[in-house]
Amino acid sequence: MRRLLCLLLLPVALLADERRYDFREKVLPNGLRVVTLEDFSSPIVAVQVWYHVGSKNERADRQGFAHMFEHMMFRGTERVGPKDFDRLTTRAGGTNNAFTSFDNTTYVNELPSNQLDLILWLEVERMLFLKVDALGFFTERKVVEEERRENYLNPPYGLAPEQALGKIFLKHPYRWMPIGKIPDLRAATIEELEAFWSTFYVPNNAVLVIAGAVKHEEAQRAAERWFGWVPKCPDPPRVAELEPPQTAPREITIQEKKGPVPVVALAFRTVPVAHPDAPALDLLIAILGDGESSRLNQDLVKERQVAQTAMASHFTLEQDGLAVLGAVLGPLGDKKKAMDALLEHVKRVREAPVGQEELEKVKNNALVGVVTETLTVEGKASALGEAALIRGDADYVNVALERIRAVTVEDIQRVANTYLADERKTSVTIEPSIGGFLKGMLGGSGGDENEGAPPVEEPKENRVAARSGFKGKIERPEGFPATAPLAPLLETPPGFSHEAATLENGVKVVVIEDHEVPYVSVSLRLDKGQWAEQKPGAANLSLGMLTKGTKAHDAASLARELDFHAISLGGGVGADSATVGTSCLAEKLPLAMGYLAEVVFTPTFPESELAILKQQTVTDLMVDENDPSTLAGREFSRQLYGAHPYARRITGEIADVQAITRADVQAFWTPRPESATLIFAGDVTLEGAKALAAKHFGGWKVEGKSASEALPPFPEPGKFKIVVVDAPGAAQSEIRVGHLAMGRGSADWHKGTVLSQILGGGFLSRLNDKLRVELGLTYGASGGFSASRFGGIFRASTSTKTETTAEAVRAILDVLETLRAGPPTADEMDLARSDLVGSFAGRYETPQSRANAIWLLLEQGLPEDYYQKAYDGYRTATAADVLAVAKEHVHPDKVVVVVAGDAKRIKESLEKIGPVEVVKGK
C-alpha cells in the first residue's frame, strides 16, 4: 500500500516547481548564443564557453587537435602572456579549467561575481587573437603525451575503450578518443593547428553561459560589450557522413597487457542525445545495470556469481549512441557463462515487459539525478551549456523531468526490441595477455605503444603562425582595453552558519540548513576509523557490509527499497573516521532516516554477502597491483609511517582480505553514541532534524566505557633515500617525495597552507610551473602540507615518462631547495593570498561541502574559529612567514623519494642522485 501511494504522489511533488531554470537566451548578430541565469545563493559567477568542436571534427591523421587546443587556448595572445590567463584568474580569486569531448570543447571558469568583465575580456582575447607558436606547441605537445601515458598507457585497461571504439565505429570519427595520438601530434605543424583554430573557434560556433550572482541585464550587456563587436565568421564545416547502420553482429577480442582479469561486454549502437527515444533507453539500461538492485548485479554477481561486477551504461553523443552491458570476472572466470548471461538478459527484456514498479524505481533515481545537478552554480551552467550546444535547445533543462516521467512500460519494450537487436550488437572480450605480461617482466616496454616519429626537438626560434582566413582580418575596435579589467579582490570571509544540539545519550546533531534545492544528506560520522581495526582491511569490509543485510531486510530487498525511493545509503571508512550516510529528496528524509538507523543498529553481516564483497575487493586489488600510481602511493605510506596503521591501505592487501572472517567484520562495528555525530545538510530545519535524530538514534545506548587504543608512534625521520617500486614495462614513472610534518593544530599551519599554494597548489605553483610549463615533463605536479588526525606530511608528486624519471626527481628536489633559499616573491604571495581568500565562498558553496568542513573540526579536534583563523592567516601571511615555515618544516635532506616504474630502465640514472633500494611491486 505504501509503495502504491509513492507511485501516485512522487510525480506531483517533483513537478511542483514551474520553471526550474529561469534562464534567458540571446543570439548576438555574430551568431554567439548567450545564455544567462541568475543565482544569488553565493557571490560567485560561472562563465563557460562551449565550442562546437570536438574530436569528431578532426582529420583521421591529426587526431587530438581539439584536445590540443584545450591546452593551447591557455597560452595567451600578444596582450596576454603564456601564463597570464591562469595568473589573472587566480589573482581574481577564481579558478579555470577545460575539457574536450567527442562533440565539444568547453572552457569553464568560476570567479567572484565582480570579475565578470575580466573573464569575458580573457575569453574574447583567446577566441580571436590566440598565439599559435612553435614553442607553445612544443611544450603543450609534451604535456599531452604525458597525459596520454598517464591515463591510457600506464593504467590497466587504459587502451581498451579506444580499441573497442575503433571496431564499433568504422567510418565516423567517433572511432577515436579525444585524447589524440602521439604520432599525429608529432607530425603536425603550427600552420595546421592555426587553421583548425581559425575554422572552429569562432562566435557563431559557440555558446557563452553566464550563471551566478549577476542580473540578466548586466550579464547580457557584458556579453554584448565584449563580444558584440566581433564580426560573424564563416560557419565551420560539419560532420555530414554519419556512421552507417550496423547490419550484422560483430565480435572484438582485446589483448590486455596489464589487466589481470577478463572482461566481457555487449555494445549496441543506439541514438543521438537529442533523439526522442534517448530517455527511454537511459531508463532501460538503468533497469539492466544501474545500481545494487539492477538485474545484472542481482543475477550475475549475487545469484549465479559468474562475475565480480556487472553493470550497464548508456552513452549518448551528438550523432550516435552506445548502450554497453559489461561484466568483470575473477581471474579464472568463465567468459562464456558471463557472456551468455548478458545475452539472456537482453533476450528477456526484449521479450517480456518490465514491471511498472521496476520502471518507477529507475525513474525516481533519474529524477533525483536531474535535481542534484542544480546543487552548484557550475552544475547549472554546465547543464545549460550542454543543452544549448549539443541538444540544440537550452530549454531541455526545463523539460528533462517531464521527458523522464513520460516513458512507459511499452516504450521500454519498444526501444529494447529496436536498439538491442542482434544486428546492432558488438560482443567484446578483454583477455589478459600472457605475452604482454612476460614482455614486461623480461624488460620490454610493456605498456608503451608505437609513438611514431622521434620526439620533436625544442624549436631554436619561436615562430608564430600567422592568423589565417577570416580571423586574419579581425582587429580590436578602438578603445578596446589593452590590459585586463581586473576588479579588486572580493573578499568572502567564512560565515557559513550551522546549528547544533546534543541528544541525551551524547549523540551530537549538526544542521546546515539550505532550502535552495529540495535535497538533503545525512551522515552519521564516527570517530573510529581504519586506525582502530584489529585486522588490516576489516574496517573497510565492515562498513561495506552494513547495507548487505539487516534483521528486517536481506541485501536484495533493501537494495530494491532504497533504489525505488531514490535513496542513497552506504558506509565507508577512512584512516581517521567512519561514515554511514544517506541522501534523498527532502520529502523522503523520514524514510531515509529509518533505513539509516536500520543498517547502523541491525546489520547481520551474512556470510554469503561477505564472500562476494571479499572477492570483489580482491579483484580490485589485483587490478591496482598493476597500476604504478597505486604502487607508488602504497610504498610511500609504508616508508613514512612504519608500524603505524596509516602505513596500511584502507582496503588491506590481498592476503589480508582473504583472511578476514565474519567475526572480524562484526568486531569492528561497535559504534558508540558519545563518539557519533549526525550531520544534516540541505533542505531541513533544526527542529525537524532533532526530531528525526531523537526518534531513530535517541534510544541508542552502549554499556561500559570505550576502550582506549594504543597506537605505535610515527618513526623518526631518516636520511635522504630513493626507493624504486619495480613495475616492469611501465610507460611512466610515478614519483612521490616527502616526509612527516606538522598537523593542523600547529601554530604554523595556516601559513604553511600559503606555502603549499606557492609550492604545488595550482597551475602556477612552482612545482607545476617547473615540471609542466617549463620542462614539459608531466601532465601535472602538486605538493604541500596535508594532515590527518594523528599527524601530517609534506609531499610532492608527479609522473613522467620512463626516460625522464631522474630529470623529474631532480627538478622536484631543486624546487624544494628554493623554498628554503629565500622568501617567495611579492607576485607569488599575492597570487597565493588571492586564490585562498577569493575562492573561499566557492569552496563551501554547497551545504554538503560545509558539512564536510564542520566534520573536519570535530574529527581532528580543531577549534570552532578554525576557518576564521585560516582566512585571517591567508590574508596576513608575509613572505618572511612563509620562508620561516619552509626552514622549520621542509627538510629536503630527509625526504624519501618513492618511484614506481621500470627498475631496469630507471635505477642507474636515479643512483646518480642518491642511494637506491629496489622493492617488488607485488
Side-chain angles (χ1 to χ4, degrees), residues 49-70:
V49 182
W50 288 67
Y51 286 100
H52 206 168
V53 54
S55 56
K56 78 168 187 291
N57 302 101
E58 300 160 350
R59 285 167 33 190
D61 63 346
R62 289 295 182 266
Q63 294 177 32
F65 266 30
H67 177 231
M68 179 55 65
F69 274 104
E70 176 194 321

Side-chain angles (χ1 to χ4, degrees), residues 69 71-82 125-137 140 190 193-194 197 462-467 476:
F69 274 104
H71 291 249
M72 292 292 292
M73 287 281 272
F74 289 93
R75 295 292 304 187
T77 70
E78 66 265 29
R79 292 185 173 180
V80 181
E125 272 286 316
R126 66 178 172 183
M127 175 188 281
L128 298 172
F129 306 108
L130 184 70
K131 182 192 294 184
V132 182
D133 63 310
L135 183 58
F137 183 32
E140 295 305 322
I190 59 172
L193 277 178
E194 193 281 332
W197 169 75
N462 189 24
R463 192 167 56 85
V464 179
R467 285 188 291 130
R476 299 175 183 85

Side-chain angles (χ1 to χ4, degrees), residues 474-545:
I474 298 176
E475 299 295 337
R476 299 175 183 85
E478 186 176 350
F480 189 85
T483 57
L486 180 66
L489 183 67
L490 182 63
E491 297 192 2
T492 52
F496 49 86
S497 61
H498 67 279
E499 298 175 285
T502 302
L503 303 183
E504 291 183 2
N505 59 358
V507 174
K508 294 175 282 294
V509 179
V510 177
V511 180
I512 299 98
E513 193 170 339
D514 189 316
H515 301 286
E516 182 187 1
V517 178
Y519 179 78
V520 62
S521 63
V522 185
S523 55
L524 176 70
R525 308 285 183 115
L526 303 162
D527 66 2
K528 188 170 75 168
Q530 174 230 17
W531 61 269
E533 66 187 3
Q534 297 303 307
K535 280 191 173 182
N540 180 61
L541 288 178
S542 181
L543 271 292
M545 283 294 294

Side-chain angles (χ1 to χ4, degrees), residues 161-392:
E162 183 174 83
Q163 295 180 62
L165 283 178
K167 301 290 180 64
I168 294 171
F169 294 99
L170 303 181
K171 292 189 175 182
H172 195 281
Y174 287 157
R175 66 185 184 272
W176 60 76
M177 296 286 285
I179 183 67
K181 289 287 185 68
I182 291 175
D184 293 354
L185 296 176
R186 287 181 177 177
T189 67
I190 59 172
E191 282 74 24
E192 289 175 320
L193 277 178
E194 193 281 332
F196 189 86
W197 169 75
S198 288
T199 300
F200 290 103
Y201 296 79
V202 294
N204 42 307
N205 198 42
V207 173
L208 169 64
V209 182
I210 303 172
V214 181
K215 290 285 188 181
H216 287 296
E217 295 79 7
E218 180 184 348
Q220 288 182 349
R221 283 196 301 269
E224 290 174 354
R225 179 166 64 253
W226 296 110
F227 287 90
W229 60 271
V230 180
K232 182 175 182 179
C233 299
D235 290 329
R238 296 292 175 215
V239 177
E241 184 182 4
L242 302 181
E243 181 73 15
Q246 188 173 325
T247 57
R250 301 172 186 164
E251 293 187 1
I252 304 172
T253 299
I254 296 172
Q255 296 295 316
E256 169 57 42
K257 295 181 179 180
K258 296 186 177 183
V261 297
V263 179
V264 296
L266 297 174
F268 297 87
R269 293 265 308 285
T270 58
V271 299
V273 65
H275 193 283
D277 284 342
L281 277 161
D282 289 341
L283 297 176
L284 163 65
I285 300 306
I287 288 171
L288 287 171
D290 183 17
E292 185 77 12
S293 69
S294 67
R295 292 184 177 188
L296 294 182
N297 185 69
Q298 287 298 316
D299 182 25
L300 276 71
V301 177
K302 296 298 184 69
E303 295 178 15
R304 288 195 247 187
Q305 298 187 17
V306 297
Q308 300 302 315
T309 304
M311 62 185 67
S313 296
H314 188 216
F315 305 95
T316 49
L317 301 169
E318 185 180 22
Q319 295 182 325
D320 218 309
L322 275 180
V324 181
L325 289 64
V328 178
L329 283 60
L332 302 177
D334 190 320
K335 297 187 289 292
K336 185 178 185 305
K337 281 185 178 180
M339 183 67 82
D340 287 345
L342 293 177
L343 291 168
E344 284 178 33
H345 279 278
V346 171
K347 185 174 184 288
R348 175 185 165 195
V349 81
R350 290 173 58 188
E351 293 180 350
V354 302
Q356 183 65 40
E357 182 178 304
E358 195 173 21
L359 175 57
E360 292 302 325
K361 177 192 73 173
V362 294
K363 278 188 180 182
N364 292 345
N365 282 278
L367 294 171
V368 170
V370 173
V371 170
T372 54
E373 75 183 7
T374 65
L375 287 173
T376 65
V377 171
E378 181 181 352
K380 296 169 188 173
S382 295
L384 283 165
E386 189 270 346
L389 189 84
I390 307 302
R391 296 178 181 272

Side-chain angles (χ1 to χ4, degrees), residues 472-806:
K473 305 173 184 177
I474 298 176
E475 299 295 337
R476 299 175 183 85
E478 186 176 350
F480 189 85
T483 57
L486 180 66
L489 183 67
L490 182 63
E491 297 192 2
T492 52
F496 49 86
S497 61
H498 67 279
E499 298 175 285
T502 302
L503 303 183
E504 291 183 2
N505 59 358
V507 174
K508 294 175 282 294
V509 179
V510 177
V511 180
I512 299 98
E513 193 170 339
D514 189 316
H515 301 286
E516 182 187 1
V517 178
Y519 179 78
V520 62
S521 63
V522 185
S523 55
L524 176 70
R525 308 285 183 115
L526 303 162
D527 66 2
K528 188 170 75 168
Q530 174 230 17
W531 61 269
E533 66 187 3
Q534 297 303 307
K535 280 191 173 182
N540 180 61
L541 288 178
S542 181
L543 271 292
M545 283 294 294
L546 294 182
T547 57
K548 305 303 182 185
T550 66
K551 290 182 179 179
H553 294 89
D554 62 16
S557 61
L558 180 60
R560 285 193 299 271
E561 289 280 340
L562 294 171
D563 285 349
F564 179 80
H565 294 288
I567 295 172
S568 173
L569 177 66
V573 69
D576 294 324
S577 60
T579 301
V580 190
T582 185
S583 58
C584 58
L585 293 175
E587 63 184 32
K588 295 290 184 180
L589 181 57
L591 190 59
M593 286 295 292
Y595 289 127
L596 178 63
E598 181 181 326
V599 301
V600 168
F601 298 126
T602 63
T604 54
F605 303 104
E607 290 276 12
S608 60
E609 292 290 340
L610 178 60
I612 292 171
L613 183 58
K614 284 175 60 176
Q615 189 54 55
Q616 290 173 329
T617 305
V618 167
T619 300
D620 289 342
L621 290 172
M622 291 178 65
V623 174
D624 284 346
E625 285 193 343
N626 291 277
D627 185 353
S629 177
T630 299
L631 298 178
R634 179 177 67 180
E635 186 62 30
F636 188 67
S637 294
R638 289 173 176 174
Q639 292 290 330
L640 259 60
Y641 294 119
H644 194 276
Y646 282 176
R648 305 194 300 258
R649 283 200 285 179
I650 299 294
T651 56
E653 302 300 330
I654 291 176
D656 298 328
V657 175
Q658 291 171 333
I660 290 173
T661 66
R662 180 172 180 267
D664 298 327
V665 170
Q666 286 178 305
F668 179 81
W669 189 243
T670 54
R672 301 183 62 87
E674 69 272 14
S675 63
T677 303
L678 274 168
I679 305 180
F680 294 75
D683 190 11
V684 63
T685 64
L686 176 64
E687 292 74 18
K690 283 176 59 178
L692 287 168
K695 177 181 178 180
H696 295 286
F697 291 86
W700 179 11
K701 293 181 181 179
V702 177
E703 298 298 329
K705 294 183 179 181
S706 177
S708 59
E709 304 285 346
L711 298 178
F714 290 165
E716 291 295 321
K719 295 181 179 180
F720 175 91
K721 68 175 177 177
I722 300 173
V723 179
V724 172
V725 187
D726 192 18
Q732 273 189 326
S733 295
E734 289 282 346
I735 302 168
R736 309 290 182 267
V737 179
H739 56 64
L740 296 176
M742 62 179 169
R744 281 190 173 84
S746 169
D748 289 336
W749 178 260
H750 301 310
K751 297 170 186 175
T753 303
V754 179
L755 179 148
S756 297
Q757 193 69 21
I758 292 169
L759 172 68
F763 189 83
L764 294 174
S765 66
R766 290 188 181 182
L767 283 170
N768 199 69
D769 188 59
K770 181 70 174 180
L771 276 83
R772 172 174 169 160
V773 179
E774 180 182 333
L775 300 176
L777 297 177
T778 182
Y779 178 52
S782 60
F785 295 102
S786 62
S788 301
R789 180 175 181 175
F790 299 109
I793 63 173
F794 176 79
R795 176 173 62 179
S797 61
T798 194
S799 60
T800 190
K801 66 181 179 180
T802 301
E803 293 78 6
T804 56
T805 301

